[in-house]
Amino acid sequence: MNKYGAILLMAVLVMWAPMQAAAQDRRSWDWEGRVDRGDAIEIKGINGEILAERGSGNEVVVRVEMKGKRDSDPAEIEMVVLEHGDGVTICAVYPADEDERPNECQPGGRGRTNVRDHYNVEVEFTVTVPDGVDFIGRTVNGGVDARGIEGDVYAHTVNGSIDIYATGVAEAGTVNGSITVSMGRADWDGTLDFSTVNGGVTLEMPSDLSTEVSVSTVNGQISSDFPLTVEGRFSPRHLKGTIGGGGRSLVIKTVNGSIQIRRS
């Protein structure tokens, strides 16, 4: 091989190596399946955004994009699909450290995920949800965005904002992020909670809203489109009262942010 051929070969190898590294840093995963009306599709992640949209078909479609950073390998993440009596739960399960018991995918607040040395892999979910199917989104580092859902929505994260637009009942909680919710029904049972620490809360509720309400903020203001019968002493940052005839409980809390209750 002459020197020009050697130079060309080296150039090809130099170009090929970054392409291989980039391919290893990304991974895709898809799932499609049936979830009965009235049941829920639940997504449980750790590091990454969750986007849910209304679907036109009869099946739930889940698209996942994984991205590794700083030598983290997306192939280490196991995607688990768990069918149960209340619907389907899909988890991004990170590998546990050798001295710890394995992580486990379970519905709701159950299960175990400890990521410690594997935070550099982002797992982003895009979910299309058929009409009549509820959506539950849980992550730690990332926002949850659920738009046009024809059902109930429950969303929880730690570092990220939550945006929900649903025809049913909704509930949301975060620590560092704002909460914006528009819900089409106000006939929930028991207590409905919306809470954050660093961020505002904006709720758009149906005009027939009837609830006992407890609202509190430290650095922010409270406003409501609904007439409130206030219990006890009025405070611009803490209040308890009744909207309509009561009958259920609504709790809204933040520390750094304002709270708005809007009539849809």
Side-chain angles (χ1 to χ4, degrees), residues 185-207:
R185 292 199 348 260
D187 57 351
W188 69 89
D189 296 324
T191 301
L192 203 62
D193 282 288
F194 298 91
S195 65
T196 183
V197 175
N198 297 306
V201 180
T202 301
L203 302 183
E204 186 176 282
M205 311 289 277
S207 59

mmCIF file of all heavy atoms in Angstrom, residues 185-207:
data_model
loop_
_atom_site.group_PDB
_atom_site.id
_atom_site.type_symbol
_atom_site.label_atom_id
_atom_site.label_comp_id
_atom_site.label_asym_id
_atom_site.label_seq_id
_atom_site.Cartn_x
_atom_site.Cartn_y
_atom_site.Cartn_z
ATOM 1 N N ARG A 185 -63.402 17.046 34.388
ATOM 2 C CA ARG A 185 -64.366 16.551 35.361
ATOM 3 C C ARG A 185 -63.944 16.970 36.753
ATOM 4 O O ARG A 185 -62.756 17.081 37.041
ATOM 5 C CB ARG A 185 -64.486 15.029 35.313
ATOM 6 C CG ARG A 185 -65.113 14.479 34.059
ATOM 7 C CD ARG A 185 -65.630 13.050 34.227
ATOM 8 N NE ARG A 185 -65.194 12.379 35.427
ATOM 9 C CZ ARG A 185 -64.193 11.478 35.507
ATOM 10 N NH1 ARG A 185 -63.504 11.193 34.417
ATOM 11 N NH2 ARG A 185 -63.888 10.895 36.647
ATOM 12 N N ALA A 186 -64.934 17.153 37.615
ATOM 13 C CA ALA A 186 -64.648 17.550 38.992
ATOM 14 C C ALA A 186 -65.406 16.662 39.964
ATOM 15 O O ALA A 186 -65.846 17.107 41.019
ATOM 16 C CB ALA A 186 -65.021 19.019 39.203
ATOM 17 N N ASP A 187 -65.521 15.379 39.630
ATOM 18 C CA ASP A 187 -66.305 14.460 40.459
ATOM 19 C C ASP A 187 -65.423 13.418 41.126
ATOM 20 O O ASP A 187 -65.825 12.263 41.302
ATOM 21 C CB ASP A 187 -67.367 13.771 39.607
ATOM 22 C CG ASP A 187 -66.782 13.031 38.411
ATOM 23 O OD1 ASP A 187 -65.571 13.203 38.144
ATOM 24 O OD2 ASP A 187 -67.526 12.280 37.750
ATOM 25 N N TRP A 188 -64.207 13.808 41.514
ATOM 26 C CA TRP A 188 -63.305 12.852 42.135
ATOM 27 C C TRP A 188 -63.791 12.481 43.544
ATOM 28 O O TRP A 188 -64.560 13.212 44.171
ATOM 29 C CB TRP A 188 -61.889 13.429 42.197
ATOM 30 C CG TRP A 188 -61.714 14.581 43.148
ATOM 31 C CD1 TRP A 188 -61.383 14.513 44.475
ATOM 32 C CD2 TRP A 188 -61.845 15.981 42.851
ATOM 33 N NE1 TRP A 188 -61.306 15.765 45.028
ATOM 34 C CE2 TRP A 188 -61.589 16.684 44.048
ATOM 35 C CE3 TRP A 188 -62.164 16.699 41.690
ATOM 36 C CZ2 TRP A 188 -61.630 18.077 44.116
ATOM 37 C CZ3 TRP A 188 -62.209 18.075 41.763
ATOM 38 C CH2 TRP A 188 -61.937 18.755 42.961
ATOM 39 N N ASP A 189 -63.292 11.354 44.019
ATOM 40 C CA ASP A 189 -63.582 10.907 45.379
ATOM 41 C C ASP A 189 -62.405 11.235 46.293
ATOM 42 O O ASP A 189 -61.248 11.136 45.893
ATOM 43 C CB ASP A 189 -63.834 9.396 45.420
ATOM 44 C CG ASP A 189 -65.081 8.995 44.636
ATOM 45 O OD1 ASP A 189 -66.060 9.775 44.654
ATOM 46 O OD2 ASP A 189 -65.058 7.920 44.012
ATOM 47 N N GLY A 190 -62.700 11.595 47.530
ATOM 48 C CA GLY A 190 -61.631 11.834 48.498
ATOM 49 C C GLY A 190 -60.910 13.141 48.271
ATOM 50 O O GLY A 190 -61.526 14.189 48.059
ATOM 51 N N THR A 191 -59.564 13.083 48.289
ATOM 52 C CA THR A 191 -58.715 14.277 48.214
ATOM 53 C C THR A 191 -57.902 14.285 46.939
ATOM 54 O O THR A 191 -57.334 13.268 46.544
ATOM 55 C CB THR A 191 -57.760 14.334 49.428
ATOM 56 O OG1 THR A 191 -58.514 14.362 50.637
ATOM 57 C CG2 THR A 191 -56.880 15.577 49.357
ATOM 58 N N LEU A 192 -57.836 15.448 46.315
ATOM 59 C CA LEU A 192 -57.028 15.658 45.118
ATOM 60 C C LEU A 192 -55.914 16.628 45.481
ATOM 61 O O LEU A 192 -56.173 17.718 45.998
ATOM 62 C CB LEU A 192 -57.897 16.225 43.999
ATOM 63 C CG LEU A 192 -57.420 16.023 42.553
ATOM 64 C CD1 LEU A 192 -57.357 14.540 42.218
ATOM 65 C CD2 LEU A 192 -58.353 16.742 41.590
ATOM 66 N N ASP A 193 -54.638 16.229 45.203
ATOM 67 C CA ASP A 193 -53.483 17.018 45.618
ATOM 68 C C ASP A 193 -52.707 17.553 44.427
ATOM 69 O O ASP A 193 -52.461 16.826 43.464
ATOM 70 C CB ASP A 193 -52.528 16.158 46.455
ATOM 71 C CG ASP A 193 -53.009 15.979 47.881
ATOM 72 O OD1 ASP A 193 -52.944 16.944 48.651
ATOM 73 O OD2 ASP A 193 -53.440 14.846 48.209
ATOM 74 N N PHE A 194 -52.308 18.816 44.544
ATOM 75 C CA PHE A 194 -51.380 19.441 43.603
ATOM 76 C C PHE A 194 -50.316 20.137 44.441
ATOM 77 O O PHE A 194 -50.634 21.056 45.203
ATOM 78 C CB PHE A 194 -52.090 20.449 42.700
ATOM 79 C CG PHE A 194 -53.160 19.837 41.843
ATOM 80 C CD1 PHE A 194 -54.469 19.772 42.293
ATOM 81 C CD2 PHE A 194 -52.864 19.311 40.602
ATOM 82 C CE1 PHE A 194 -55.458 19.202 41.512
ATOM 83 C CE2 PHE A 194 -53.839 18.733 39.817
ATOM 84 C CZ PHE A 194 -55.142 18.680 40.274
ATOM 85 N N SER A 195 -49.059 19.715 44.305
ATOM 86 C CA SER A 195 -48.032 20.284 45.172
ATOM 87 C C SER A 195 -46.706 20.436 44.444
ATOM 88 O O SER A 195 -46.333 19.609 43.611
ATOM 89 C CB SER A 195 -47.836 19.410 46.417
ATOM 90 O OG SER A 195 -47.339 18.139 46.062
ATOM 91 N N THR A 196 -46.013 21.515 44.764
ATOM 92 C CA THR A 196 -44.653 21.748 44.314
ATOM 93 C C THR A 196 -43.968 22.582 45.377
ATOM 94 O O THR A 196 -44.590 23.004 46.365
ATOM 95 C CB THR A 196 -44.617 22.440 42.948
ATOM 96 O OG1 THR A 196 -43.248 22.575 42.514
ATOM 97 C CG2 THR A 196 -45.268 23.811 42.978
ATOM 98 N N VAL A 197 -42.680 22.829 45.200
ATOM 99 C CA VAL A 197 -41.935 23.694 46.118
ATOM 100 C C VAL A 197 -41.472 24.943 45.385
ATOM 101 O O VAL A 197 -41.729 26.060 45.812
ATOM 102 C CB VAL A 197 -40.736 22.945 46.735
ATOM 103 C CG1 VAL A 197 -39.893 23.902 47.587
ATOM 104 C CG2 VAL A 197 -41.210 21.770 47.577
ATOM 105 N N ASN A 198 -40.813 24.740 44.250
ATOM 106 C CA ASN A 198 -40.303 25.864 43.469
ATOM 107 C C ASN A 198 -41.051 25.942 42.144
ATOM 108 O O ASN A 198 -40.640 25.343 41.149
ATOM 109 C CB ASN A 198 -38.805 25.700 43.234
ATOM 110 C CG ASN A 198 -38.015 25.707 44.525
ATOM 111 O OD1 ASN A 198 -38.131 26.623 45.328
ATOM 112 N ND2 ASN A 198 -37.208 24.672 44.739
ATOM 113 N N GLY A 199 -42.159 26.663 42.158
ATOM 114 C CA GLY A 199 -42.961 26.810 40.949
ATOM 115 C C GLY A 199 -44.396 27.178 41.294
ATOM 116 O O GLY A 199 -44.862 26.950 42.408
ATOM 117 N N GLY A 200 -45.080 27.742 40.319
ATOM 118 C CA GLY A 200 -46.476 28.107 40.511
ATOM 119 C C GLY A 200 -47.397 26.959 40.144
ATOM 120 O O GLY A 200 -46.998 25.982 39.508
ATOM 121 N N VAL A 201 -48.667 27.094 40.551
ATOM 122 C CA VAL A 201 -49.687 26.101 40.243
ATOM 123 C C VAL A 201 -50.874 26.820 39.607
ATOM 124 O O VAL A 201 -51.423 27.758 40.193
ATOM 125 C CB VAL A 201 -50.165 25.348 41.503
ATOM 126 C CG1 VAL A 201 -51.230 24.314 41.129
ATOM 127 C CG2 VAL A 201 -48.994 24.683 42.208
ATOM 128 N N THR A 202 -51.254 26.388 38.407
ATOM 129 C CA THR A 202 -52.417 26.928 37.717
ATOM 130 C C THR A 202 -53.364 25.784 37.395
ATOM 131 O O THR A 202 -52.997 24.854 36.688
ATOM 132 C CB THR A 202 -52.020 27.651 36.415
ATOM 133 O OG1 THR A 202 -51.118 28.719 36.715
ATOM 134 C CG2 THR A 202 -53.254 28.223 35.723
ATOM 135 N N LEU A 203 -54.593 25.864 37.944
ATOM 136 C CA LEU A 203 -55.602 24.842 37.706
ATOM 137 C C LEU A 203 -56.781 25.460 36.971
ATOM 138 O O LEU A 203 -57.300 26.494 37.392
ATOM 139 C CB LEU A 203 -56.105 24.238 39.023
ATOM 140 C CG LEU A 203 -55.078 23.591 39.957
ATOM 141 C CD1 LEU A 203 -55.795 23.003 41.164
ATOM 142 C CD2 LEU A 203 -54.271 22.541 39.232
ATOM 143 N N GLU A 204 -57.188 24.798 35.890
ATOM 144 C CA GLU A 204 -58.406 25.180 35.178
ATOM 145 C C GLU A 204 -59.433 24.080 35.440
ATOM 146 O O GLU A 204 -59.245 22.938 35.028
ATOM 147 C CB GLU A 204 -58.135 25.326 33.685
ATOM 148 C CG GLU A 204 -59.322 25.859 32.906
ATOM 149 C CD GLU A 204 -58.991 26.079 31.451
ATOM 150 O OE1 GLU A 204 -58.346 27.105 31.142
ATOM 151 O OE2 GLU A 204 -59.364 25.214 30.629
ATOM 152 N N MET A 205 -60.529 24.457 36.118
ATOM 153 C CA MET A 205 -61.494 23.484 36.598
ATOM 154 C C MET A 205 -62.861 23.716 35.959
ATOM 155 O O MET A 205 -63.193 24.838 35.551
ATOM 156 C CB MET A 205 -61.618 23.581 38.124
ATOM 157 C CG MET A 205 -60.290 23.586 38.862
ATOM 158 S SD MET A 205 -59.470 21.987 38.823
ATOM 159 C CE MET A 205 -60.304 21.152 40.160
ATOM 160 N N PRO A 206 -63.690 22.668 35.898
ATOM 161 C CA PRO A 206 -65.028 22.815 35.332
ATOM 162 C C PRO A 206 -65.876 23.796 36.141
ATOM 163 O O PRO A 206 -65.669 23.999 37.344
ATOM 164 C CB PRO A 206 -65.606 21.400 35.418
ATOM 165 C CG PRO A 206 -64.422 20.502 35.514
ATOM 166 C CD PRO A 206 -63.379 21.268 36.251
ATOM 167 N N SER A 207 -66.851 24.394 35.490
ATOM 168 C CA SER A 207 -67.682 25.408 36.141
ATOM 169 C C SER A 207 -68.545 24.843 37.249
ATOM 170 O O SER A 207 -69.019 25.591 38.112
ATOM 171 C CB SER A 207 -68.556 26.108 35.099
ATOM 172 O OG SER A 207 -69.379 25.165 34.438
#
